[in-house]
Amino acid sequence: EPKPLVMKAFLYGAISVLPAAFIEAPFRQFITGRAPDLLTLLVISVLVVGLVEETSKFVAMHVAAFNSHEFNEVMDGVVYGVAAGLGFAAVENLFYSARFGIAIGAFRAFITDLAHASFSGIAGYYLGRAKFDRGHAAALIARGMITAILLHGLYDFLIIAGLVPPAFGIVMVLATYAYL
């Protein structure tokens, strides 16, 4: 794919952190592990974090590349989705590093970059399929978004709730990558 278009998707993904952070702000206390119970944390992980962040990255990918003549095969959705996810993760990790220190940033740089790239790549794959199967476009986009949102929400829930050690994030990311 043309580097300028991939960089555009990356940049739009990076910018998409801002509306996501704004929307998530009222839920920040729950996202940082102070939810009153596991069910509340699960709902917020999926319906706030997963939904908001995956929608932000999807919009970034769509606006950056979908209508380009270069988006001419299904796998292009994966490329632009991954680029948008990496842009989002880069800025999000900068925010986390500034707030919690470089050690947290270094850990997140490895795992969360791959997680965001994988989740967005899945949504991008279904966007690519939708572009070339207009009759089923809405269902394909919905399937991709629901899959990415649920995986993202489950990933965050398990880590934030402490139900798995943070290193288990690597296993979850590899499983998501294998799905992709």
Side-chain angles (χ1 to χ4, degrees), residues 43-84:
V43 169
I44 290 171
S45 295
V46 174
L47 296 181
V48 176
V49 179
L51 177 65
V52 169
E53 293 186 8
E54 292 310 315
T55 300
S56 292
K57 294 183 293 181
F58 179 84
V59 169
M61 155 186 36
H62 191 281
V63 171
F66 187 75
N67 292 317
S68 168
H69 70 279
E70 297 291 345
F71 195 129
N72 54 15
E73 60 185 346
V74 171
M75 292 308 292
D76 291 347
V78 175
V79 171
Y80 298 120
V82 166

Side-chain angles (χ1 to χ4, degrees), residues 64-137:
F66 187 75
N67 292 317
S68 168
H69 70 279
E70 297 291 345
F71 195 129
N72 54 15
E73 60 185 346
V74 171
M75 292 308 292
D76 291 347
V78 175
V79 171
Y80 298 120
V82 166
L86 289 172
F88 187 99
V91 173
E92 185 183 64
N93 287 341
L94 284 174
F95 289 156
Y96 271 89
S97 293
R99 183 163 183 200
F100 300 110
I102 196 71
I104 295 295
F107 179 76
R108 287 183 52 84
F110 175 69
I111 295 178
T112 60
D113 286 357
L114 295 175
H116 279 293
S118 296
F119 303 145
S120 298
I122 289 168
Y125 169 74
Y126 285 100
L127 179 64
R129 285 188 57 196
K131 183 166 187 167
F132 302 103
D133 185 359
R134 297 287 183 169
H136 299 100

Side-chain angles (χ1 to χ4, degrees), residues 7-18:
M7 289 304 300
K8 183 178 178 183
F10 180 91
L11 179 61
Y12 283 27
I15 293 167
S16 76
V17 169
L18 300 176

